[in-house]
């Protein structure tokens, strides 16, 4: 199984500032995924981060607001730019890992999340 | 497009009582179905999954779920709830193992002493 760590675990930020969230995986993965979980809501995919190419963003999310870096196969960052209170959410990093003995099945693993509060 | 509905936003049960969390999905073919649990301040943990075969699947922490194709449902059950089961539970559907999942809105479980 994949072990995923995120930094910071939580932060309180002022409106208009930016925060960069780090995601570290204990094994090499081709794609890393960033999700947002707004208060009381389910998970929404923000973007897919591929190593060596630009991230692919889902509808409603843009690179200027959520720039992503993917410098190597075990690490990615998500920046929340020019924050407003509406950006208060939990941000989760996720990867797929093949499960041994299960054929082509890849299980999705999630990091512990970064809880962001914007004042 | 696939979708997942969890009709119950909140559920409260007494410790020791049985539990059933509902999940309905919409998908044109045989789905891959998952239940995840998110404890306060934690990430998501996979409880169990269904791909094919026996429609009653066993998971971790004493949970089980039953796939009912005729009802497009994949309800999660536990015969006796423990206080530590208080958490948010998410049902998810995928159309191929390892492809992106579509999550339901979640059900928040509270356990009374």
């Amino acid at each position: 199984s994949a072990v995923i760590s995120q930094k910071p675990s939580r932060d309180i930020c002022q409106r208009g500032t930016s925060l960069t969230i780090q995601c570290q995986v204990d094994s090499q993965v081709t794609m890393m995924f960033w999700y947002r979980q707004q208060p009381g809501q389910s998970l929404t995919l923000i973007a897919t981060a591929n190593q060596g190419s630009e991230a692919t963003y889902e509808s409603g999310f843009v690179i200027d607001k959520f720039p992503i870096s993917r410098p190597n196969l075990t690490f990615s960052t998500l920046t929340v730019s020019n924050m407003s209170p509406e950006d208060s959410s939990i941000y989760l990093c996720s990867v797929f890992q093949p499960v041994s003995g299960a054929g082509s099945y890849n299980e999705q693993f999630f990091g512990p999340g970064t809880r962001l509060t914007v004042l | 497009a696939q979708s997942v509905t969890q009709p119950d936003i909140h559920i409260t049960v007494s410790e020791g009582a049985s539990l059933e969390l509902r999940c309905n999905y919409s998908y044109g073919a045989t789905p891959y179905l998952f239940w995840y649990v998110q404890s306060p301040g934690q990430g998501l943990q996979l409880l169990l999954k269904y791909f094919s075969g026996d429609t009653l699947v066993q998971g971790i922490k004493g949970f089980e779920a039953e796939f009912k194709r005729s009802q497009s449902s994949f309800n999660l059950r536990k015969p006796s709830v423990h206080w530590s089961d208080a958490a948010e539970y998410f049902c998810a559907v995928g159309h191929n193992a390892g492809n992106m999942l579509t999550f339901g809105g979640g059900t928040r479980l509270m356990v009374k002493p």
Side-chain angles (χ1 to χ4, degrees):
Chain A
S1 64
V3 177
I4 306 172
S5 59
Q6 288 184 231
K7 290 182 182 178
S9 58
R10 59 178 62 231
D11 207 343
I12 301 173
C13 300
Q14 296 296 320
R15 182 195 299 261
T17 63
S18 297
L19 175 72
T20 295
I21 302 167
Q22 299 178 6
C23 176
Q24 180 76 50
V25 188
D26 68 342
S27 57
Q28 294 184 339
V29 291
T30 305
M31 293 189 288
M32 297 176 74
F33 304 90
W34 286 99
Y35 285 84
R36 181 175 73 182
Q37 185 181 16
Q38 293 177 298
Q41 303 293 317
S42 187
L43 283 73
T44 302
L45 181 64
I46 297 172
T48 303
N50 295 308
Q51 196 271 332
S53 64
E54 286 214 351
T56 304
Y57 289 83
E58 299 299 304
S59 175
F61 298 96
V62 295
I63 188 171
D64 289 346
K65 176 67 175 177
F66 296 102
I68 286 172
S69 79
R70 185 76 203 277
N72 58 54
L73 291 173
T74 63
F75 186 80
S76 177
T77 67
L78 170 76
T79 299
V80 187
S81 303
N82 188 24
M83 288 183 285
S84 66
E86 292 71 36
D87 294 320
S88 298
S89 296
I90 299 173
Y91 292 86
L92 296 115
C93 177
S94 175
V95 303
F96 282 91
Q97 283 271 283
V99 177
S100 60
S104 62
Y105 173 56
N106 294 292
E107 182 174 334
Q108 188 168 7
F109 294 90
F110 293 86
T114 296
R115 184 178 295 273
L116 171 63
T117 302
V118 184
L119 303 178
Chain B
Q2 57 208 43
S3 66
V4 182
T5 302
Q6 293 179 246
D8 305 304
I9 298 175
H10 294 99
I11 283 185
T12 300
V13 299
S14 298
E15 190 167 17
S18 63
L19 171 70
E20 182 168 29
L21 302 183
R22 295 184 291 166
C23 172
N24 293 98
Y25 67 89
S26 172
Y27 181 64
T30 300
Y32 292 82
L33 295 161
F34 306 81
W35 275 99
Y36 284 85
V37 60
Q38 185 179 36
S39 298
Q42 303 293 313
L44 287 156
Q45 182 182 23
L46 180 66
L47 281 176
L48 48 78
K49 58 188 179 289
Y50 171 79
F51 289 165
S52 63
D54 192 346
T55 56
L56 182 64
V57 292
Q58 303 297 318
I60 61 172
K61 304 184 179 186
F63 285 92
E64 66 177 27
E66 186 170 13
F67 170 55
K68 293 186 177 180
R69 185 188 300 276
S70 62
Q71 298 177 21
S72 297
S73 69
F74 189 57
N75 294 347
L76 182 71
R77 300 193 295 248
K78 186 169 185 177
S80 178
V81 170
H82 188 261
W83 64 266
S84 60
D85 293 323
E88 186 96 21
Y89 291 81
F90 292 95
C91 182
V93 61
H95 65 84
N96 195 6
N99 280 14
M100 298 310 301
L101 301 178
T102 299
F103 286 87
T107 298
R108 181 169 295 278
L109 173 66
M110 290 174 280
V111 181
K112 295 189 298 185

Coordinates of all heavy atoms in Angstrom, one line a residue, chain A residues 12-72:
Chain A
I12 N -4.1 28.3 9.1 CA -5.1 29.4 9.1 C -4.4 30.6 8.3 O -3.3 31.0 8.7 CB -5.5 29.8 10.5 CG1 -6.1 28.6 11.2 CG2 -6.5 31.0 10.4 CD1 -6.4 28.9 12.7
C13 N -5.0 31.1 7.3 CA -4.4 32.1 6.4 C -5.3 33.3 6.3 O -6.5 33.2 6.4 CB -4.1 31.5 5.1 SG -3.0 30.0 5.1
Q14 N -4.6 34.4 5.9 CA -5.3 35.6 5.7 C -5.8 35.7 4.2 O -5.1 35.2 3.3 CB -4.5 36.8 6.0 CG -4.1 36.9 7.5 CD -5.3 37.1 8.4 OE1 -6.2 37.9 8.0 NE2 -5.3 36.4 9.5
R15 N -6.9 36.4 4.0 CA -7.4 36.6 2.7 C -6.3 37.3 1.8 O -5.6 38.2 2.3 CB -8.6 37.5 2.8 CG -9.3 37.8 1.5 CD -10.2 39.0 1.7 NE -11.3 38.7 2.6 CZ -12.5 38.4 2.3 NH1 -12.8 38.2 1.1 NH2 -13.4 38.1 3.3
G16 N -6.2 36.8 0.6 CA -5.3 37.4 -0.4 C -3.9 36.8 -0.4 O -3.1 37.0 -1.3
T17 N -3.6 36.0 0.6 CA -2.3 35.3 0.6 C -2.4 34.0 -0.1 O -3.4 33.6 -0.6 CB -1.8 35.0 2.1 OG1 -2.8 34.2 2.7 CG2 -1.8 36.3 2.8
S18 N -1.2 33.3 -0.2 CA -1.2 32.0 -0.9 C -0.6 30.9 0.0 O 0.2 31.3 0.9 CB -0.3 32.1 -2.2 OG -0.9 33.0 -3.1
L19 N -1.0 29.7 -0.2 CA -0.4 28.6 0.6 C 0.0 27.5 -0.3 O -0.8 27.1 -1.2 CB -1.5 28.1 1.6 CG -1.1 26.8 2.4 CD1 0.0 27.2 3.5 CD2 -2.3 26.2 3.1
T20 N 1.1 26.9 -0.1 CA 1.6 25.7 -0.8 C 1.5 24.5 0.0 O 2.1 24.5 1.1 CB 3.0 25.9 -1.4 OG1 3.0 27.0 -2.3 CG2 3.5 24.7 -2.1
I21 N 0.8 23.5 -0.5 CA 0.7 22.2 0.2 C 1.5 21.2 -0.4 O 1.6 21.1 -1.7 CB -0.8 21.8 0.1 CG1 -1.7 22.8 0.7 CG2 -1.0 20.4 0.8 CD1 -3.2 22.6 0.4
Q22 N 2.3 20.4 0.4 CA 3.2 19.4 -0.1 C 2.6 18.0 0.0 O 1.9 17.7 1.0 CB 4.5 19.5 0.6 CG 5.2 20.8 0.4 CD 6.5 20.9 1.2 OE1 7.0 19.9 1.8 NE2 7.2 22.0 1.3
C23 N 2.9 17.2 -0.9 CA 2.4 15.8 -0.9 C 3.6 14.9 -1.2 O 4.2 15.0 -2.3 CB 1.3 15.5 -1.8 SG 0.8 13.8 -1.9
Q24 N 3.9 14.0 -0.3 CA 5.0 13.0 -0.5 C 4.5 11.6 -0.4 O 3.8 11.2 0.5 CB 6.1 13.2 0.6 CG 7.3 12.3 0.6 CD 8.3 12.8 -0.5 OE1 8.6 13.9 -0.6 NE2 8.7 11.8 -1.4
V25 N 4.9 10.8 -1.4 CA 4.5 9.4 -1.5 C 5.7 8.5 -1.3 O 6.8 8.9 -1.7 CB 3.9 9.0 -2.8 CG1 3.3 7.6 -2.8 CG2 2.8 10.1 -3.2
D26 N 5.5 7.4 -0.6 CA 6.7 6.5 -0.3 C 7.1 5.6 -1.4 O 8.0 4.8 -1.3 CB 6.4 5.7 0.9 CG 5.3 4.6 0.7 OD1 4.5 4.7 -0.3 OD2 5.2 3.7 1.5
S27 N 6.5 5.8 -2.6 CA 6.9 5.0 -3.8 C 6.6 5.9 -5.0 O 5.9 6.8 -5.0 CB 6.1 3.7 -3.9 OG 4.7 4.0 -3.9
Q28 N 7.2 5.5 -6.1 CA 7.1 6.2 -7.4 C 5.8 6.0 -8.0 O 5.3 4.8 -8.1 CB 8.2 5.9 -8.3 CG 9.6 6.3 -7.8 CD 10.7 6.0 -8.8 OE1 10.6 5.2 -9.7 NE2 11.8 6.7 -8.7
V29 N 5.1 7.0 -8.4 CA 3.8 6.9 -9.1 C 3.8 7.8 -10.3 O 4.4 8.9 -10.3 CB 2.6 7.3 -8.1 CG1 2.5 6.2 -7.0 CG2 2.8 8.6 -7.5
T30 N 3.1 7.4 -11.3 CA 3.0 8.2 -12.5 C 2.1 9.4 -12.3 O 2.5 10.5 -12.7 CB 2.4 7.4 -13.7 OG1 3.2 6.2 -13.8 CG2 2.4 8.2 -15.0
M31 N 1.0 9.2 -11.7 CA 0.0 10.3 -11.6 C -0.3 10.5 -10.1 O -0.4 9.6 -9.3 CB -1.3 10.0 -12.3 CG -1.1 10.0 -13.8 SD -2.7 9.9 -14.7 CE -3.1 8.2 -14.3
M32 N -0.4 11.8 -9.7 CA -0.9 12.2 -8.4 C -2.1 13.1 -8.6 O -2.2 13.8 -9.6 CB 0.2 12.9 -7.6 CG 1.4 12.0 -7.4 SD 2.8 12.8 -6.6 CE 2.2 13.0 -4.9
F33 N -3.0 13.0 -7.7 CA -4.3 13.7 -7.8 C -4.5 14.6 -6.6 O -4.2 14.2 -5.5 CB -5.4 12.7 -7.9 CG -5.3 11.7 -9.0 CD1 -4.6 10.5 -8.8 CD2 -5.7 11.9 -10.3 CE1 -4.4 9.6 -9.8 CE2 -5.6 11.0 -11.3 CZ -4.9 9.8 -11.1
W34 N -5.1 15.7 -6.9 CA -5.4 16.7 -5.8 C -7.0 16.9 -5.8 O -7.6 17.1 -6.8 CB -4.8 18.0 -6.1 CG -3.3 18.0 -5.8 CD1 -2.3 17.9 -6.7 CD2 -2.7 18.1 -4.5 NE1 -1.1 17.9 -6.1 CE2 -1.3 18.1 -4.7 CE3 -3.2 18.3 -3.2 CZ2 -0.4 18.1 -3.7 CZ3 -2.2 18.4 -2.2 CH2 -0.9 18.3 -2.4
Y35 N -7.5 16.7 -4.6 CA -8.9 16.8 -4.3 C -9.2 18.0 -3.3 O -8.4 18.3 -2.5 CB -9.5 15.6 -3.7 CG -9.7 14.4 -4.6 CD1 -8.6 13.5 -4.9 CD2 -10.9 14.1 -5.2 CE1 -8.7 12.4 -5.7 CE2 -11.1 13.0 -6.0 CZ -10.0 12.2 -6.3 OH -10.1 11.1 -7.1
R36 N -10.4 18.5 -3.4 CA -10.9 19.5 -2.4 C -12.1 18.9 -1.8 O -13.0 18.4 -2.5 CB -11.2 20.8 -3.1 CG -11.7 21.9 -2.1 CD -11.9 23.2 -2.8 NE -13.0 23.2 -3.7 CZ -13.4 24.3 -4.4 NH1 -12.6 25.4 -4.4 NH2 -14.4 24.2 -5.2
Q37 N -12.2 19.1 -0.5 CA -13.4 18.7 0.3 C -13.8 19.9 1.0 O -13.3 20.2 2.1 CB -13.0 17.5 1.2 CG -14.3 16.9 1.9 CD -13.9 15.8 2.8 OE1 -12.8 15.6 3.2 NE2 -14.9 15.0 3.2
Q38 N -14.8 20.5 0.5 CA -15.4 21.7 1.2 C -16.2 21.2 2.4 O -16.7 20.1 2.5 CB -16.2 22.5 0.3 CG -15.4 23.2 -0.8 CD -16.2 23.9 -1.8 OE1 -17.0 23.4 -2.5 NE2 -15.9 25.2 -1.9
P39 N -16.4 22.1 3.4 CA -17.0 21.7 4.7 C -18.4 21.0 4.4 O -19.2 21.6 3.7 CB -17.2 23.1 5.4 CG -16.1 23.9 4.9 CD -15.9 23.5 3.4
G40 N -18.5 19.9 5.0 CA -19.7 19.1 4.8 C -20.0 18.5 3.5 O -21.1 18.0 3.2
Q41 N -19.0 18.6 2.6 CA -19.2 18.1 1.2 C -18.4 16.9 0.9 O -17.5 16.5 1.8 CB -18.8 19.2 0.2 CG -19.5 20.5 0.4 CD -21.0 20.4 0.1 OE1 -21.4 19.8 -0.9 NE2 -21.8 21.0 0.9
S42 N -18.6 16.3 -0.2 CA -17.8 15.2 -0.7 C -16.6 15.7 -1.4 O -16.3 16.9 -1.4 CB -18.6 14.3 -1.6 OG -17.9 13.1 -1.9
L43 N -15.8 14.8 -1.9 CA -14.6 15.1 -2.6 C -14.8 15.5 -4.0 O -15.6 14.9 -4.8 CB -13.6 13.9 -2.6 CG -12.9 13.5 -1.3 CD1 -13.9 12.9 -0.3 CD2 -11.8 12.6 -1.6
T44 N -14.1 16.6 -4.4 CA -14.1 17.1 -5.8 C -12.7 17.1 -6.3 O -11.8 17.6 -5.7 CB -14.7 18.5 -5.8 OG1 -16.0 18.5 -5.3 CG2 -14.7 19.0 -7.3
L45 N -12.5 16.5 -7.5 CA -11.2 16.4 -8.1 C -10.8 17.8 -8.6 O -11.5 18.4 -9.4 CB -11.1 15.4 -9.2 CG -9.8 15.2 -9.9 CD1 -8.7 14.6 -8.9 CD2 -9.9 14.2 -11.1
I46 N -9.6 18.3 -8.2 CA -9.1 19.5 -8.7 C -8.3 19.3 -10.0 O -8.6 19.9 -11.0 CB -8.2 20.2 -7.7 CG1 -9.0 20.6 -6.4 CG2 -7.6 21.5 -8.3 CD1 -8.1 21.1 -5.3
A47 N -7.3 18.4 -9.9 CA -6.4 18.2 -11.1 C -5.6 17.0 -10.9 O -5.5 16.4 -9.8 CB -5.5 19.4 -11.2
T48 N -5.1 16.5 -12.0 CA -4.2 15.4 -12.1 C -2.8 15.9 -12.4 O -2.6 16.6 -13.4 CB -4.6 14.4 -13.2 OG1 -6.0 14.0 -12.9 CG2 -3.7 13.2 -13.2
A49 N -1.8 15.5 -11.6 CA -0.4 15.9 -11.8 C 0.4 14.8 -12.3 O 0.6 13.8 -11.7 CB 0.1 16.4 -10.5
N50 N 0.9 15.0 -13.5 CA 1.8 14.0 -14.2 C 3.3 14.6 -14.1 O 3.5 15.8 -14.3 CB 1.5 13.8 -15.6 CG 0.1 13.2 -15.8 OD1 -0.2 12.2 -15.2 ND2 -0.7 13.8 -16.6
Q51 N 4.2 13.7 -13.8 CA 5.6 14.1 -13.8 C 6.1 14.4 -15.2 O 5.9 13.6 -16.1 CB 6.4 13.0 -13.1 CG 7.8 13.5 -12.7 CD 8.8 13.3 -13.8 OE1 8.7 12.5 -14.6 NE2 9.9 14.2 -13.7
G52 N 6.6 15.6 -15.3 CA 7.2 16.0 -16.6 C 6.3 16.7 -17.6 O 6.6 17.0 -18.7
S53 N 5.0 16.9 -17.1 CA 4.1 17.6 -18.0 C 3.2 18.5 -17.1 O 3.2 18.4 -15.9 CB 3.3 16.7 -18.8 OG 2.5 15.9 -18.0
E54 N 2.5 19.4 -17.8 CA 1.6 20.3 -17.0 C 0.4 19.5 -16.5 O -0.1 18.5 -17.0 CB 1.0 21.3 -18.0 CG 2.1 22.4 -18.3 CD 1.4 23.8 -18.5 OE1 0.2 23.9 -18.5 OE2 2.2 24.7 -18.6
A55 N -0.1 19.9 -15.4 CA -1.2 19.3 -14.7 C -2.5 19.4 -15.6 O -2.6 20.4 -16.3 CB -1.5 19.8 -13.3
T56 N -3.4 18.5 -15.4 CA -4.7 18.5 -16.1 C -5.7 18.9 -15.1 O -6.0 18.2 -14.1 CB -5.0 17.2 -16.7 OG1 -4.0 16.8 -17.6 CG2 -6.3 17.2 -17.5
Y57 N -6.4 20.0 -15.4 CA -7.4 20.6 -14.4 C -8.8 20.2 -14.8 O -9.2 20.1 -16.0 CB -7.3 22.1 -14.4 CG -6.0 22.5 -13.7 CD1 -4.8 22.6 -14.4 CD2 -6.0 22.9 -12.3 CE1 -3.6 23.0 -13.7 CE2 -4.9 23.2 -11.7 CZ -3.7 23.3 -12.4 OH -2.5 23.6 -11.8
E58 N -9.6 20.0 -13.8 CA -11.1 19.7 -14.0 C -11.8 21.0 -14.2 O -11.3 22.1 -13.9 CB -11.6 18.9 -12.8 CG -10.9 17.6 -12.5 CD -11.1 16.6 -13.7 OE1 -12.3 16.3 -14.1 OE2 -10.1 16.1 -14.2
S59 N -13.0 20.8 -14.7 CA -13.9 21.9 -15.0 C -14.1 22.7 -13.7 O -14.4 22.2 -12.6 CB -15.2 21.5 -15.5 OG -16.1 22.5 -15.7
G60 N -13.9 24.0 -13.8 CA -14.1 24.9 -12.6 C -12.8 25.2 -11.9 O -12.8 26.0 -10.9
F61 N -11.7 24.6 -12.3 CA -10.4 24.8 -11.6 C -9.4 25.3 -12.6 O -9.4 24.7 -13.7 CB -9.9 23.6 -10.9 CG -10.8 23.1 -9.8 CD1 -11.8 22.1 -10.0 CD2 -10.7 23.6 -8.5 CE1 -12.6 21.6 -9.0 CE2 -11.6 23.2 -7.5 CZ -12.5 22.2 -7.8
V62 N -8.6 26.3 -12.3 CA -7.7 26.9 -13.3 C -6.3 26.9 -12.7 O -6.1 27.1 -11.4 CB -8.1 28.3 -13.8 CG1 -9.4 28.2 -14.5 CG2 -8.3 29.2 -12.6
I63 N -5.3 26.9 -13.6 CA -3.9 26.9 -13.1 C -3.5 28.1 -12.4 O -2.7 28.0 -11.4 CB -3.0 26.6 -14.3 CG1 -1.6 26.4 -13.9 CG2 -3.1 27.8 -15.3 CD1 -0.7 25.9 -15.0
D64 N -4.1 29.3 -12.7 CA -3.7 30.5 -12.0 C -4.1 30.5 -10.6 O -3.4 31.1 -9.7 CB -4.3 31.7 -12.7 CG -3.7 32.0 -14.1 OD1 -2.6 31.4 -14.4 OD2 -4.3 32.7 -14.9
K65 N -5.2 29.8 -10.3 CA -5.7 29.7 -8.9 C -5.0 28.6 -8.1 O -4.7 28.7 -6.9 CB -7.2 29.6 -8.9 CG -7.8 29.4 -7.6 CD -7.8 30.6 -6.7 CE -8.5 30.4 -5.4 NZ -8.4 31.6 -4.5
F66 N -4.8 27.5 -8.8 CA -4.3 26.3 -8.2 C -3.1 25.7 -8.9 O -3.1 24.6 -9.5 CB -5.3 25.2 -8.1 CG -6.5 25.5 -7.3 CD1 -7.7 25.9 -7.9 CD2 -6.5 25.4 -5.9 CE1 -8.8 26.3 -7.1 CE2 -7.6 25.8 -5.1 CZ -8.8 26.2 -5.8
P67 N -2.0 26.5 -9.0 CA -0.8 26.0 -9.7 C -0.2 24.7 -9.0 O -0.2 24.6 -7.7 CB 0.2 27.1 -9.6 CG -0.3 28.0 -8.5 CD -1.8 27.8 -8.4
I68 N 0.2 23.8 -9.8 CA 0.7 22.5 -9.3 C 2.1 22.2 -9.8 O 2.4 22.5 -11.0 CB -0.3 21.4 -9.8 CG1 -1.6 21.4 -9.0 CG2 0.4 20.0 -9.6 CD1 -2.6 20.4 -9.5
S69 N 2.9 21.7 -9.0 CA 4.3 21.3 -9.4 C 4.4 19.8 -9.2 O 3.7 19.2 -8.3 CB 5.4 22.0 -8.6 OG 5.5 21.4 -7.3
R70 N 5.2 19.1 -10.1 CA 5.4 17.7 -10.0 C 6.8 17.4 -10.4 O 7.1 16.9 -11.5 CB 4.4 17.0 -10.9 CG 4.5 15.5 -10.8 CD 3.8 14.9 -9.6 NE 4.3 13.6 -9.2 CZ 3.9 12.5 -9.7 NH1 3.0 12.5 -10.7 NH2 4.5 11.3 -9.4
P71 N 7.8 17.8 -9.5 CA 9.2 17.7 -9.9 C 9.8 16.3 -10.0 O 10.8 16.1 -10.7 CB 9.9 18.4 -8.7 CG 8.9 18.3 -7.6 CD 7.6 18.3 -8.2
N72 N 9.1 15.3 -9.4 CA 9.6 13.9 -9.5 C 8.5 13.0 -9.2 O 7.3 13.4 -9.0 CB 10.8 13.7 -8.5 CG 10.4 13.9 -7.1 OD1 9.4 13.4 -6.6 ND2 11.2 14.8 -6.4

